[in-house]
Amino acid sequence: MENKNMLDKVTPPPLPDAAVNNHSAEENYGIIDWFKKCIRNYVNFSGRARRKEFWYFSLVYMILAIFAMIIDAIIFDAETGPVYIVVALGLALPSIAVGIRRLHDTGRSGWWFLISLITLIGGIVFLVFCANDTKPETNKWGLPAK
C-alpha cells in the first residue's frame, strides 16, 4: 500500500479515458509540464525519470539561467549577479534529484551522480549515462519510466 502512495506522489493521475498505464497522461505533457513535474518532485531521490523528463528540465533550466544572466548584465552590470544566484540555488536540488532519478532509470545507483564532480571527464560521463535509453525491466527503483 505504501508503494502505491509513493507512486501517486511521483506520477500524476491518468486521464479519465486512459487505459491501465499510469504514464499515459504524460503522453500529452509539454516542456513546461515536464519542468513542473521535476519541481514538484524536488526532494524525491527515489524512483525513475525518463529521458524526456531529464532533458526538458535541463533545457528549461538553461533558458532560465541565460535569462537570469541577461537580467543581471542589464541591471547589475555583472554576469552572475543576484538573479542568477537565486535561479541557480532554487533549481539546484531539483536538478540533483532528477539527475539521480535519471541514473536510476538507466539501472545505475544515484551515487554515480558524484562522477560529475570530476572536472570535464566526469561531466561527459554523466551526460553519456543520462543519454542512455531506459532499462525496460523493473529494477530496485521501480517500474520503467516509460
Side-chain angles (χ1 to χ4, degrees):
M1 184 67 163
E2 188 174 313
N3 268 349
K4 183 182 181 334
N5 290 339
M6 182 69 155
L7 185 62
D8 290 340
K9 292 178 185 174
V10 174
T11 58
L15 295 174
D17 60 342
V20 177
N21 184 3
N22 283 340
H23 298 289
S24 60
E26 293 178 351
E27 292 174 8
N28 299 321
Y29 273 18
I31 294 173
I32 301 301
D33 296 319
W34 288 111
F35 182 76
K36 288 192 299 189
K37 181 180 179 189
C38 290
I39 297 298
R40 282 193 309 265
N41 291 317
Y42 74 101
V43 290
N44 181 10
F45 296 96
S46 63
R48 297 168 77 160
R50 55 177 27 179
R51 273 192 295 193
K52 196 182 275 192
E53 180 179 350
F54 176 80
W55 291 112
Y56 280 154
F57 177 82
S58 299
L59 176 66
V60 173
Y61 182 98
M62 293 306 291
I63 291 170
L64 289 174
I66 291 169
F67 186 67
M69 282 191 235
I70 291 170
I71 290 174
D72 283 335
I74 292 171
I75 296 175
F76 301 105
D77 198 27
E79 284 183 23
T80 56
V83 178
Y84 175 78
I85 291 171
V86 167
V87 168
L89 289 177
L91 294 178
L93 200 55
S95 65
I96 293 170
V98 75
I100 290 173
R101 289 195 316 270
R102 179 68 199 130
L103 288 169
H104 290 169
D105 197 44
T106 62
R108 292 177 179 83
S109 168
W111 288 106
W112 276 103
F113 187 81
L114 296 177
I115 201 167
S116 63
L117 297 177
I118 299 171
T119 307
L120 190 62
I121 302 296
I124 292 170
V125 171
F126 177 73
L127 287 177
V128 169
F129 285 169
C130 290
N132 286 340
D133 198 15
T134 296
K135 298 291 182 194
E137 63 274 349
T138 300
N139 62 23
K140 63 182 176 181
W141 296 286
L143 298 170
K146 64 177 182 178

